[in-house]
């Protein structure tokens, strides 16, 4: 049985235009987003955003986190959808476009959810 394309619902042109990210970077971010979206709700909460930021070495205060959420939450839903997540990540990638650094940071963030060190999240 053929598996559905995990990137099938992404409008790469739109995301690239909004963020400047290359298709490979968008795919990498989609994988990361899906790992953090453990409830498979197609969005991340403010608490999950806080965990991601801390895993990447940032220590935002609650006020800073709220400001960041308001800045990237374009539709005001209080939830971070994939396109908004890409915009957030693009701000960091523009400063440091090294794909190896991004992969390392995403792996570090992944380890927060991989509490047993099994290499996957259920």
């Amino acid at each position: 049985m053929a598996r559905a394309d995990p990137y099938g619902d992404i409008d790469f042109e739109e995301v690239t235009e909004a963020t400047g990210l290359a298709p490979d970077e968008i795919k990498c971010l989609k994988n990361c987003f899906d790992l953090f979206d453990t409830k498979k709700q197609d969005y991340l909460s403010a608490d999950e955003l806080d965990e991601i930021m801390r895993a990447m070495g940032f220590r935002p205060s609650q006020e800073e986190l709220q400001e960041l959420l308001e800045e990237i939450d374009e539709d005001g839903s209080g939830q971070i959808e994939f396109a908004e997540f890409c915009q957030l990540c693009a701000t960091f990638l523009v400063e440091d476009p090294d794909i190896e650094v991004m992969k390392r940071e995403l792996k570090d963030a992944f380890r927060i959810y991989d509490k047993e060190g099994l290499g996957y999240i259920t």
Side-chain angles (χ1 to χ4, degrees):
M1 185 161 117
R3 297 181 75 186
D5 181 1
Y7 312 112
D9 60 342
I10 299 172
D11 184 339
F12 286 96
E13 267 186 51
E14 183 179 313
V15 175
T16 297
E17 186 176 313
T19 63
L21 295 171
D24 286 345
E25 292 171 315
I26 296 168
K27 287 178 180 180
C28 184
L29 290 175
K30 176 62 173 162
N31 292 331
C32 179
F33 181 88
D34 288 346
L35 290 173
F36 289 116
D37 181 19
T38 58
K39 297 176 186 171
K40 305 303 176 212
Q41 298 173 328
D42 293 328
Y43 67 84
L44 302 174
S45 69
D47 287 340
E48 290 164 323
L49 176 61
D50 185 41
E51 288 184 42
I52 292 167
M53 295 300 292
R54 292 183 184 285
M56 293 175 68
F58 300 99
R59 303 287 179 253
S61 67
Q62 286 302 317
E63 290 172 348
E64 291 169 327
L65 188 62
Q66 186 60 38
E67 287 175 13
L68 182 60
L69 182 61
E70 289 171 7
E71 182 181 324
I72 63 169
D73 184 20
E74 292 181 348
D75 60 6
S77 66
Q79 302 164 340
I80 301 148
E81 290 86 13
F82 178 67
E84 295 167 338
F85 178 74
C86 285
Q87 289 181 332
L88 169 67
C89 292
T91 62
F92 299 105
L93 294 175
V94 168
E95 294 172 10
D96 186 11
D98 183 354
I99 194 75
E100 293 306 314
V101 171
M102 180 178 79
K103 286 179 182 178
R104 187 175 61 248
E105 289 174 350
L106 292 176
K107 284 180 183 179
D108 290 344
F110 172 78
R111 286 186 187 105
I112 288 177
Y113 290 97
D114 184 21
K115 293 177 177 35
E116 297 174 11
L118 300 174
Y120 60 88
I121 300 172
T122 57

